[in-house]
Amino acid sequence: MELTWNLGRTEPYDNGGGDIHLAFTVDDYDAALVHHIQMGCVVKVNERMGIYFIEDPDGFWIEIIPAKRS
């Protein structure tokens, strides 16, 4: 699980806001990305950072991170 803190935010968090999400690491990032693309749930790929996001049925984003960074 990834916890974030948005410095300077004064209003309460709204459950489901775009900045609230879980993150998971995967051993085989490339295989996981192909699998999620085939499932049709990838909503954003950030090639520069080497991560991507999938969306669950309720619309929440889940961040996918490689377990080992090259």
Side-chain angles (χ1 to χ4, degrees):
M1 182 165 77
E2 177 182 73
L3 300 176
T4 58
W5 174 39
N6 294 322
L7 185 63
R9 183 180 179 121
T10 57
E11 67 275 2
Y13 280 95
D14 176 24
N15 188 18
D19 54 355
I20 298 173
H21 65 276
L22 293 175
F24 292 96
T25 60
V26 292
D27 291 329
D28 189 339
Y29 177 87
D30 293 327
L33 178 57
V34 167
H35 177 71
H36 289 133
I37 288 172
Q38 291 172 344
M39 290 177 65
C41 60
V42 174
V43 291
K44 181 176 182 175
V45 177
N46 186 325
E47 292 180 12
R48 183 182 61 79
M49 293 181 67
I51 62 171
Y52 67 92
F53 293 84
I54 60 175
E55 187 173 33
D56 79 5
D58 293 319
F60 291 97
W61 284 23
I62 301 166
E63 183 177 357
I64 307 298
I65 305 167
K68 295 182 180 178
R69 303 269 180 151
S70 359

